[in-house]
Amino acid sequence: MNSRFLTTLVILLLLCLVSTTEAQYYFGQNKIQYTDFDWQVLTTEHFNIYFYPEEREIAEAAAYLAEESYVYLQEKFNHTIEDKVPFIVYSSPVFFEQTNVIPGILPENVAGFTEYFKQRVVIPFNGSFADFSHVVRHEIVHVFTMQKLAYVAKMHRRSSVATPPLWFMEGIAEYWSIGWDTQADMFMRDMTMSGRIISIKNMGSVSGTFLMYKIGQSILKYMGETYGDDKLTDLFDGWWKGRSFSDNIKLTYGKTLTEIGKEWEYYLKKKYYPYIEYQELPDRVGKKLTRDGYNLKPTVFLKDTREGRKEYIAFKTYRLGYSMIAEMSFDGEKEHFSTLIKAGRSEQFESLHMTDSGLDANDDGLIAFASKTQESDALYIYDTKRGKVIKKIKNKKLISISSPSWAPDRSHIVFEGVTKAGISDLYLVDIETEEFRQLTNDIYLDMTPSFSYTDGLIAFSSDRQAYGNKGSRNLFLYNLDTGEIVKLTSGEHIDESPIWARTGDRLIFASDRSGSMNLYVLNDVTNGSQTVAQLTEFVTGVFDPVLANNDSTIVFSAYQNFGFHIYYMDFPDSAISRIDEPEYTAKHWHLADSWSFPKLTGETTKGSAKYKTQLSFDIAQSTVAYDAVVGTLGGLQFALTDILGNHQWYFLLFNTANTKSSFLKSINFATTYLNKTKRINYGAGIFHFYSEYSDDFYGFVDERTYGGLLAASYPISRYRRIESALYVRKIDKKTTFFDDTNATTSTLTLSYIKDTSIWDPTGPIDGTRINIGMAQSINIKGLKYFNSTYNVDFRKYFRLASASAYATRFLYLHSVGEDPQRYYLGGSWSLRGYPRRSFYGRNLLLVNNELRFPLVNDLIIGFPIGALRFQAIRGALFFDAGNAWEDDYRDLVGSFGFGIRVALGYVTVLRFDFARKTDFKNVSNRYDFDFFFGWNF
Amino acid sequence: MLLAGVIVAGCGHPPPIIIDNADSDCAWNQGGGDFKRASYTPLESSDIAGLLWTRDFKKRLTVEPTAAYGRILVPTTDRRLFVISSTDGSRLAVKKYKKVIVAPAVVSDSLAVLLVDGEKLIIENWISHQTLWEADLGGSFIEPLVMDGKVYWIDGKNLLRCYRLEDGVRIWDRKLDNHYSCTVTGSSAGVFLACDQGIIYCYETNSGQTKWIYDSGDRMRNPPVIAGDQLVFCCTEGKVGRLNAADGSPVWKTDLKSPIIAPPASDGQGVYLGTNDRYIYRLDFDSGDVIWRRKIGGPVKAGPTLTENLAIFVSIDYRAYFVDKNSGKILYRYETDGMLTTRPLVCDGKVLIAGEDRKLYCFDIAGEE
């Protein structure tokens, strides 16, 4: 026998073991701890910085930046933080993704986070000191915000205060960390020019997106500049006064949020509309080639076609939840579009680093690109003629690889590489011998290298100028023969993505020196008297230039109408403006000319020590649950974890007594320890469960089970894992209809899980999910066979459109032996049209088919007291078949019908099903309605 | 009027306070005249004997204590108003209110004006705790002014109201145009208001008619401070200025280029203020020139308090700084366990500082141990 509670417990424990987010079903992708970190703690006046020795320099810089931010934000918030803030630093996003501070897979574009319960700040270093500085302060703003609001509430004896909206939280974090930047300006320009300014009341439509961050930043900038930053301080100080965020705004500013919003919208128009007089939109000057998704990093290659050799464009694109490398002709994707590489579905191509890493194609049609493969990045070469990957190159010392560029000899590639210490440098690899040569060797960010067609020169973008630590990047030249580095451009702006022309001594690059990202040409690169000319004057932003058609065409990506697309245009005959400044004369670059990582000195730093595991509360909550069989349960659950989240203790305590006399014997508890330090996550626990309940099969059940378990999970990759558990338990079960069970058993479970699914707000919409498992139990007394269970759960989702899919599930469950498990069928989660638990037996077969499609994307219903928002209302047409039986197979029964799913944020989904039953001979003449909740299968 | 030995039996009121120290030198009388705001007390000694006592109120102290006749009135965040002795901090009386008192209890003789949680303005006899009258605040949290038997306040409808203190008879009210975040101040020259946009208005005390308007050109969040027949103001971006209170004519303006959150204080010889970027200043009263500037450990959120020789600053770095007014030298520094966000109070040769660590600290500055 497997008690329901025990099964539930094992599932819950295994779910905790595997860092996943889909709690309803036993699938989920894997967060893998590939790397062993020797954690240390650096203590400063206000922070405990957690780091590993390889990144000591970065940790010390983090300490400096954190304390500097503290001083600045203490003034802004008028608040002093009482306890030291835990600050966990990773030297690379690749390591950051392994953190156990929060469960669940971290999306790739997360630059850092502040965890709510213990207010731990977790940040990766991405190679750029300026970016790091920005993110450090951004996250500390969150710490101050949370602490200030909690403090204000406590001070004024409010059990809770108004929750600030997400756009405000992120907006103030951006505003008080970076102020304003070119990227934010680009988003606002585009939004204004498109005529679709997202008002404050409609911010929910972009909630959680990068655009929301930038809009929030713009609003806060407006409020800060118009009314003063001190007013924002007042807003926080007086947060206790109002019942809502809008109230607090009114009390502080004397204006409603709507009024301030309208002012801000008018401010945007006044600021940006005049630009259109002398600046252009990309689709007015260039020809737009893509139409769907987000499209970046183009490269041009020659492809054999029926019309002869023609130039094609390979580029990165993000569509339908997946990132890809695709190709299209110069006629655009509507004429020809083909996917070359799909990522996010296999171990080989976990992530293509959409925004951080470019592509490069050589004259043989070989495309070099980088992808995350298991624990680190690999360099790949894709042969466009053969239509497959022909080479994979990895280096054990390099955890990150990006922006490869072919040498003209086609046997070498230069790229940006990052070591475990987090430092970015240029590397050269011989693709035949796979020998690596490090070209630069310093702390500066070196990126987007480009090989010249002659002369052994590599142009690249770097922050190694004196002001580079403030976020500026300029162009440099690396001489492969001498190792010399020469400055090509100067100035406190961003110059990046240089690309050599085939004809002439010039480089095309992108720069924000005019205020928005545009294209420039640097002429006479090697003759010592460079001049820069501006080629485009776009009002939004243009990136990633590449030349085609013998340098007479420029292909680029540009941002317009809330999206990134690929364009091309003729190379301008004349430049828009020309700069002949002495400062652009190339000079040798010297280390002494540049900046270094700051370090705390004096009283503010207190030294470092080895990390010691210390547990503290993570979650503590009371729980009330209702089960149709068992009845109401009330209980308590809490967790203790260490700062890094590697050691977790879970405690569950509840009581199932129905009468006072059975209170003591109905105490249920479970205690589990989980260790997530290494790749194999393991756990151990003890439990005691007792309950009395009525069951359709057993009658009245009086059941007590207690024992212990060991569990382990080995992730093969992000998408696949093997799980196993061993539990030993004493079972004492009395039922109405069957003999009592009194046994001490040992059970071994083994499962294989695969999950490549991606989700929309109501459930999976693409990919595959598989769970195959078995459990064997023996009676310890006499070591006799007890029982076995087997399960096969296979689900596949065929994507039809962005919000539509055909989903299918095959489920087979089988249990045999003494006191086998019984399975139940019926209800919205299994066989629709039939009440829950309509069928039961020790065998179960179920097949579901469902067509999922969108009905309403965003519905807001306004009430006098506020508005209710439903972000996704989906429809479903389904057909199910299945049955459960004991020994003799029973014919399948089925149902078909339609359903509506209403997503309630990311909490749950309301399910409304209308189904007609069939035994495949007859069909019921009416629809049965069922309402329940839960994600789609 | 001083009361001595008055006992009032009330229904359910806490026991009354016996006033036996009629000569107590506590300055919290906003009735018109010179230097009457509690930022300045003409106390001779500069000897700082140190901490005399502390009293733990169990709740964070976020509102400035005020004083009268040797008694200290301390509102706490659990809706109480404590009356304690300045000698040893012993509790003399306590009253609980329906909501939290959110501004300093403004005392005029036996009457205290209490601002309760943006809802009510309560005028009560703080000795007998009898409420004389109440007014609706309509969501305003702006501290009132009591002067010459009148109480002035701004309510949630943006009306400046003037009522008779003893019986709540309306004298006048007027609609205000701008948004106000700071208190009303007053002197014989008039009632002064500074709006967020940095415009200072002066109104006639008897009629509410506008007397003069001065536009500082910068934002303000603090009321102008009265120094004799002069006004001193400061702007959030760092400008500090002096005006003639009678007609609003400017005398000088100095730009410190530092963010200023807290109001200044003046004794007619200097202007003292702390900034948000951790500096404390003395400016010359006549010229506005910087006499001295010192860096301290944290931003200054509350205005300083002055005695004859000392300027006492507090900061959110948990510390109180006792500074020699003339030299700017920090004579004494004390670290508490919480942020200090309310102005120190001087009473009977002692300095009282309320901390967000729930404690009231009493320092002896009269040279006595």
Side-chain angles (χ1 to χ4, degrees):
Chain A
M1 177 275 298
N2 294 320
S3 79
R4 170 191 290 95
F5 292 129
L6 192 56
T7 308
T8 307
L9 169 69
V10 170
I11 289 172
L12 281 172
L13 290 174
L14 291 174
L15 284 170
C16 291
L17 205 55
V18 178
S19 297
T20 67
T21 52
E22 294 88 33
Q24 183 180 324
Y25 298 95
Y26 47 131
F27 294 106
Q29 295 180 7
N30 312 309
K31 181 190 290 185
I32 306 177
Q33 282 71 46
Y34 292 108
T35 318
D36 242 328
F37 297 108
D38 178 19
W39 289 101
Q40 316 284 318
V41 187
L42 171 66
T43 303
T44 69
E45 194 175 343
H46 300 105
F47 298 90
N48 284 327
I49 314 280
Y50 297 84
F51 69 101
Y52 37 94
E54 293 88 339
E55 57 163 0
R56 175 117 205 165
E57 213 173 5
I58 292 171
E60 286 178 348
Y64 177 91
L65 292 169
E67 288 293 339
E68 185 185 59
S69 295
Y70 185 93
V71 167
Y72 174 79
L73 294 171
Q74 184 189 36
E75 176 191 317
K76 289 293 187 198
F77 281 91
N78 260 330
H79 185 73
T80 299
I81 291 178
E82 291 174 354
D83 299 320
K84 285 200 204 292
V85 178
F87 206 97
I88 300 159
V89 179
Y90 289 92
S91 56
S92 161
V94 166
F95 293 142
F96 170 68
E97 287 168 11
Q98 300 179 31
T99 186
N100 283 320
V101 170
I102 53 168
I105 307 282
L106 275 169
E108 191 185 355
N109 55 0
V110 171
F113 64 86
T114 302
E115 169 270 334
Y116 176 76
F117 286 113
K118 298 188 197 188
Q119 287 174 16
R120 293 169 280 188
V121 174
V122 189
I123 295 183
F125 180 74
N126 72 350
S128 162
F129 178 83
D131 286 355
F132 190 58
S133 179
H134 164 206
V135 176
V136 164
R137 186 163 294 187
H138 177 109
E139 297 305 330
I140 297 177
V141 171
H142 285 320
V143 174
F144 266 91
T145 303
M146 287 193 269
Q147 292 217 8
K148 177 76 180 188
L149 295 185
Y151 184 82
V152 162
K154 204 164 146 184
M155 255 195 343
H156 294 92
R157 303 190 83 234
R158 298 273 196 251
S159 56
S160 64
V161 288
T163 306
L166 188 60
W167 67 261
F168 177 83
M169 294 279 281
E170 297 301 344
I172 197 143
E174 283 291 271
Y175 175 55
W176 275 351
S177 59
I178 203 172
W180 196 240
D181 58 287
T182 312
Q183 195 180 54
D185 206 55
M186 178 184 79
F187 281 101
M188 292 306 105
R189 287 180 187 218
D190 178 66
M191 188 173 73
T192 309
M193 293 303 175
S194 72
R196 290 185 283 159
I197 295 177
I198 295 168
S199 63
I200 287 183
K201 71 173 183 197
N202 288 328
M203 286 293 267
S205 65
V206 293
S207 184
T209 64
F210 191 66
L211 183 59
M212 178 205 75
Y213 279 62
K214 296 293 134 183
I215 295 176
Q217 183 183 357
S218 175
I219 295 170
L220 268 299
K221 174 179 181 283
Y222 171 76
M223 289 168 72
E225 286 178 353
T226 308
Y227 298 100
D229 268 17
D230 54 285
K231 266 283 184 250
L232 290 168
T233 310
D234 280 348
L235 179 64
F236 282 108
D237 277 333
W239 200 273
W240 58 278
K241 294 176 186 171
R243 283 179 171 59
S244 68
F245 174 68
S246 309
D247 277 353
N248 286 327
I249 293 285
K250 179 86 188 347
L251 283 165
T252 308
Y253 289 88
K255 291 182 180 179
T256 64
L257 190 57
T258 306
E259 284 167 342
I260 291 179
K262 290 218 180 307
E263 284 177 13
W264 165 72
E265 291 177 37
Y266 182 64
Y267 153 81
L268 288 179
K269 290 171 189 170
K270 278 200 81 153
K271 182 175 179 187
Y272 293 122
Y273 278 171
Y275 282 101
I276 207 72
E277 188 183 344
Y278 59 92
Q279 288 184 330
E280 292 288 353
L281 289 167
D283 66 357
R284 295 281 170 173
V285 174
K287 181 162 181 306
K288 186 174 163 197
L289 296 175
T290 50
R291 59 179 179 191
D292 293 325
Y294 288 92
N295 307 278
L296 296 160
K297 313 290 182 197
T299 187
V300 175
F301 67 99
L302 284 169
K303 184 178 166 96
D304 290 318
T305 69
R306 267 178 270 175
E307 292 90 28
R309 287 205 106 194
K310 285 177 88 173
E311 279 185 326
Y312 268 60
I313 300 167
F315 60 102
K316 286 191 176 175
T317 181
Y318 184 85
R319 300 170 186 219
L320 303 179
Y322 293 104
S323 55
M324 296 175 246
I325 297 175
E327 68 168 34
M328 64 182 169
S329 69
F330 272 81
D331 295 319
E333 73 168 74
K334 69 177 186 327
E335 294 299 328
H336 170 80
F337 176 91
S338 161
T339 305
L340 305 181
I341 300 286
K342 286 183 194 176
R345 289 168 235 234
S346 67
E347 287 90 37
Q348 195 181 21
F349 305 119
E350 275 184 35
S351 165
L352 292 174
H353 307 310
M354 271 289 296
T355 55
D356 297 333
S357 180
L359 313 171
D360 193 31
N362 65 16
D363 291 339
D364 292 335
L366 301 180
I367 298 175
F369 68 97
S371 172
K372 182 164 185 287
T373 302
Q374 298 274 40
E375 71 272 19
S376 62
D377 287 348
L379 182 63
Y380 288 91
I381 297 172
Y382 179 90
D383 188 335
T384 56
K385 288 177 196 147
R386 289 196 257 173
K388 62 178 187 174
V389 170
I390 59 169
K391 191 96 183 171
K392 171 184 164 184
I393 302 171
K394 258 195 165 199
N395 182 313
K396 280 187 193 154
K397 289 190 183 153
L398 295 177
I399 51 167
S400 175
I401 291 174
S402 38
S403 297
S405 170
W406 284 98
D409 64 5
R410 300 175 211 172
S411 59
H412 291 83
I413 291 174
V414 67
F415 61 90
E416 175 195 347
V418 177
T419 61
K420 192 174 178 185
I423 303 301
S424 138
D425 284 302
L426 295 182
Y427 291 81
L428 189 71
V429 64
D430 183 318
I431 60 171
E432 292 305 325
T433 63
E434 296 190 20
E435 272 178 28
F436 286 80
R437 175 180 153 195
Q438 187 169 357
L439 302 181
T440 61
N441 188 1
D442 47 52
I443 62 168
Y444 308 108
L445 172 68
D446 299 322
M447 53 186 280
T448 59
S450 176
F451 245 114
S452 68
Y453 288 96
T454 56
D455 303 335
L457 298 171
I458 297 167
F460 64 102
S461 175
S462 176
D463 64 0
R464 55 184 60 234
Q465 291 271 42
Y467 33 77
N469 56 347
K470 303 284 181 231
S472 301
R473 290 199 299 276
N474 299 114
L475 298 186
F476 294 81
L477 208 57
Y478 181 88
N479 189 312
L480 211 48
D481 296 326
T482 63
E484 193 182 45
I485 296 175
V486 156
K487 277 189 279 193
L488 292 179
T489 64
S490 302
E492 292 187 47
H493 46 251
I494 293 175
D495 299 328
E496 64 180 19
S497 306
I499 201 88
W500 290 92
R502 284 178 190 268
T503 57
D505 183 24
R506 53 190 180 152
L507 279 169
I508 316 302
F509 64 99
S511 174
D512 69 352
R513 55 184 65 200
S514 67
S516 59
M517 216 61 179
N518 273 290
L519 298 182
Y520 292 77
V521 59
L522 176 69
N523 293 306
D524 303 314
V525 179
T526 56
N527 76 2
S529 59
Q530 296 84 4
T531 56
V532 172
Q534 186 172 352
L535 298 177
T536 63
E537 183 83 68
F538 290 135
V539 69
T540 52
V542 59
F543 310 87
D544 312 323
V546 66
L547 292 167
N549 200 11
N550 210 28
D551 294 349
S552 64
T553 302
I554 308 178
V555 181
F556 54 91
S557 67
Y559 184 75
Q560 187 181 344
N561 280 334
F562 302 94
F564 287 93
H565 289 284
I566 308 293
Y567 299 77
Y568 77 85
M569 67 181 214
D570 293 334
F571 198 103
D573 291 328
S574 58
I576 291 162
S577 66
R578 194 177 177 84
I579 304 138
D580 294 309
E581 298 283 342
E583 67 177 309
Y584 295 106
T585 302
K587 289 183 194 148
H588 297 286
W589 175 86
H590 301 291
L591 188 62
D593 295 340
S594 194
W595 54 274
S596 55
F597 276 153
K599 210 167 153 171
L600 272 182
T601 53
E603 286 181 2
T604 37
T605 182
K606 316 266 185 216
S608 64
K610 198 150 173 66
Y611 171 75
K612 286 186 190 146
T613 302
Q614 279 178 316
L615 299 174
S616 56
F617 272 111
D618 211 316
I619 302 167
Q621 59 187 18
S622 57
T623 309
V624 175
Y626 175 74
D627 181 274
V629 171
V630 175
T632 309
L633 306 172
L636 170 73
Q637 61 179 154
F638 60 95
L640 297 173
T641 62
D642 69 325
I643 282 289
L644 298 171
N646 290 338
H647 301 273
Q648 302 176 5
W649 283 90
Y650 293 90
F651 300 90
L652 182 65
L653 183 68
F654 62 99
N655 197 292
T656 51
N658 291 318
T659 61
K660 209 163 41 171
S661 59
S662 64
F663 180 82
L664 282 175
K665 70 177 182 180
S666 304
I667 292 175
N668 294 263
F669 73 88
T671 301
T672 312
Y673 165 72
L674 297 175
N675 186 308
K676 296 187 175 183
T677 314
K678 298 195 191 306
R679 186 167 182 159
I680 297 182
N681 292 171
Y682 61 88
I686 56 172
F687 54 88
H688 170 271
F689 293 120
Y690 174 79
S691 187
E692 297 166 349
Y693 58 92
S694 276
D695 179 87
D696 303 316
F697 188 82
Y698 290 97
F700 184 78
V701 180
D702 177 318
E703 180 180 349
R704 181 184 303 281
T705 308
Y706 57 90
L709 84 148
L710 298 169
S713 171
Y714 176 77
I716 302 166
S717 73
R718 174 173 166 155
Y719 308 106
R720 298 182 297 140
R721 68 177 178 274
I722 293 173
E723 290 174 352
S724 183
L726 172 69
Y727 46 94
V728 176
R729 67 193 188 282
K730 177 89 171 68
I731 306 161
D732 203 344
K733 184 175 174 182
K734 299 178 184 58
T735 69
T736 309
F737 301 129
F738 293 87
D739 293 337
D740 295 352
T741 302
N742 193 312
T744 305
T745 65
S746 172
T747 304
L748 178 68
T749 72
L750 191 65
S751 302
Y752 168 79
I753 293 116
K754 177 178 176 179
D755 190 338
T756 62
S757 63
I758 59 169
W759 283 46
D760 87 345
T762 56
I765 199 159
D766 205 336
T768 305
R769 302 206 287 173
I770 299 172
N771 186 318
I772 300 171
M774 53 160 260
Q776 301 290 336
S777 296
I778 60 166
N779 191 329
I780 287 177
K781 269 192 196 160
L783 294 176
K784 283 191 239 170
Y785 169 76
F786 194 74
N787 65 22
S788 308
T789 61
Y790 302 91
N791 66 280
V792 174
D793 190 338
F794 176 85
R795 308 179 196 195
K796 180 99 181 117
Y797 310 95
F798 299 91
R799 194 74 163 276
L800 303 173
S802 64
S804 305
Y806 168 68
T808 182
R809 167 167 67 177
F810 173 85
L811 177 66
Y812 177 65
L813 304 171
H814 170 68
S815 185
V816 67
E818 189 174 335
D819 197 16
Q821 184 157 0
R822 261 80 195 187
Y823 305 105
Y824 296 86
L825 198 59
S828 183
W829 288 2
S830 58
L831 189 62
R832 289 162 281 199
Y834 297 84
R836 284 184 72 219
R837 303 168 69 86
S838 294
F839 308 95
Y840 50 84
R842 59 183 187 81
N843 296 281
L844 182 147
L845 177 66
L846 175 67
V847 177
N848 300 107
N849 298 278
E850 185 170 274
L851 180 67
R852 297 172 180 169
F853 49 91
L855 288 176
V856 178
N857 266 340
D858 210 353
L859 175 67
I860 302 173
I861 302 175
F863 295 97
I865 50 163
L868 211 54
R869 184 158 187 248
F870 301 99
Q871 261 183 306
I873 300 178
R874 301 280 187 259
L877 297 174
F878 58 83
F879 171 69
D880 301 335
N883 213 329
W885 62 95
E886 272 296 297
D887 298 309
D888 297 322
Y889 172 76
R890 275 194 254 168
D891 287 339
L892 297 180
V893 294
S895 65
F896 60 92
F898 62 94
I900 296 174
R901 314 278 176 254
V902 180
L904 292 182
Y906 292 97
V907 177
T908 190
V909 176
L910 304 179
R911 307 171 61 81
F912 306 86
D913 287 314
F914 301 84
R916 289 170 73 169
K917 298 198 253 287
T918 178
D919 59 2
F920 299 100
K921 295 178 194 126
N922 301 296
V923 175
S924 67
N925 55 13
R926 66 186 183 103
Y927 280 94
D928 289 306
F929 169 70
D930 186 23
F931 166 74
F932 205 53
F933 55 85
W935 308 103
N936 286 333
F937 69 81
Chain B
M1 182 191 287
L2 302 175
L3 300 169
V6 173
I7 299 171
V8 174
C11 306
H13 286 295
I17 304 156
I18 310 295
I19 306 296
D20 57 9
N21 185 1
D23 294 326
S24 172
D25 190 7
C26 294
W28 189 265
N29 180 356
Q30 280 193 293
D34 299 343
F35 311 137
K36 283 299 195 291
R37 193 158 173 90
S39 60
Y40 172 67
T41 302
L43 188 66
E44 286 282 346
S45 174
S46 63
D47 292 336
I48 303 158
L51 184 68
L52 264 183
W53 51 260
T54 61
R55 186 188 165 87
D56 191 339
F57 282 85
K58 312 287 185 213
K59 298 292 167 200
R60 295 184 196 265
L61 303 178
T62 58
V63 175
E64 213 168 296
T66 50
Y69 312 111
R71 284 11 183 207
I72 315 296
L73 282 74
V74 185
T76 57
T77 54
D78 60 347
R79 298 176 281 142
R80 284 179 227 260
L81 178 69
F82 285 81
V83 182
I84 63 171
S85 162
S86 66
T87 308
D88 57 6
S90 57
R91 190 175 94 176
L92 300 172
V94 62
K95 180 178 173 184
K96 193 159 185 172
Y97 296 81
K98 284 186 185 157
K99 297 243 173 167
V100 180
I101 298 169
V102 297
V106 182
V107 175
S108 176
D109 297 328
S110 62
L111 297 182
V113 179
L114 307 172
L115 199 106
V116 177
D117 204 5
E119 288 189 4
K120 292 271 181 219
L121 194 71
I122 297 175
I123 286 74
E124 67 173 37
N125 184 309
W126 64 274
I127 299 165
S128 65
H129 296 296
Q130 219 163 357
T131 301
L132 270 65
W133 57 274
E134 296 179 354
D136 280 324
L137 285 171
S140 168
F141 294 84
I142 299 175
E143 187 186 325
L145 163 71
V146 172
M147 187 170 70
D148 294 336
K150 301 189 195 84
V151 56
Y152 306 80
W153 77 93
I154 301 174
D155 72 5
K157 292 178 188 162
N158 226 29
L159 284 166
L160 173 63
R161 295 192 183 272
C162 174
Y163 279 54
R164 205 154 63 196
L165 182 64
E166 61 182 5
D167 55 15
V169 168
R170 175 184 165 277
I171 300 174
W172 55 260
D173 53 44
R174 62 164 295 137
K175 184 83 179 139
L176 301 171
D177 291 325
N178 295 302
H179 185 248
Y180 297 83
S181 304
C182 56
T183 65
V184 191
T185 52
S187 73
S188 55
V191 172
F192 307 100
L193 269 182
C195 73
D196 291 0
Q197 286 84 354
I199 303 170
I200 301 174
Y201 296 84
C202 175
Y203 302 108
E204 294 280 2
T205 56
N206 294 322
S207 63
Q209 295 291 319
T210 308
K211 210 169 154 185
W212 54 258
I213 299 173
Y214 171 79
D215 188 348
S216 69
D218 277 312
R219 289 188 318 278
M220 279 186 194
R221 52 172 291 140
N222 287 304
V225 162
I226 295 149
D229 60 355
Q230 303 293 303
L231 286 184
V232 175
F233 67 87
C234 56
C235 303
T236 55
E237 299 289 307
K239 293 194 178 68
V240 184
R242 181 182 135 191
L243 306 176
N244 193 313
D247 58 13
S249 54
V251 178
W252 53 256
K253 203 168 171 185
T254 296
D255 190 354
L256 300 179
K257 294 185 170 43
S258 274
I260 303 174
I261 297 288
S266 178
D267 56 5
Q269 288 164 3
V271 174
Y272 305 83
L273 59 103
T275 64
N276 220 29
D277 59 355
R278 304 165 178 230
Y279 285 99
I280 54 175
Y281 287 83
R282 173 181 171 168
L283 309 184
D284 183 76
F285 188 77
D286 293 325
S287 64
D289 295 335
V290 175
I291 304 294
W292 51 254
R293 179 178 100 142
R294 292 279 178 270
K295 184 141 191 179
I296 59 173
V300 174
K301 200 185 164 190
T305 292
L306 310 175
T307 68
E308 196 65 26
N309 298 313
L310 292 173
I312 304 153
F313 291 87
V314 294
S315 168
I316 63 170
D317 71 344
Y318 296 8
R319 296 187 191 108
Y321 299 85
F322 293 71
V323 178
D324 183 291
K325 271 167 45 174
N326 295 316
S327 65
K329 189 179 168 192
I330 298 174
L331 300 174
Y332 179 72
R333 188 170 71 182
Y334 186 85
E335 184 163 343
T336 66
D337 295 322
M339 291 190 281
L340 301 177
T341 54
T342 60
R343 180 166 37 207
L345 170 68
V346 175
C347 178
D348 288 339
K350 300 179 194 65
V351 172
L352 294 119
I353 296 174
E356 290 190 9
D357 60 353
R358 305 173 177 89
K359 294 185 189 130
L360 184 69
Y361 294 84
C362 180
F363 299 87
D364 184 2
I365 58 167
E368 295 167 9
E369 292 196 15

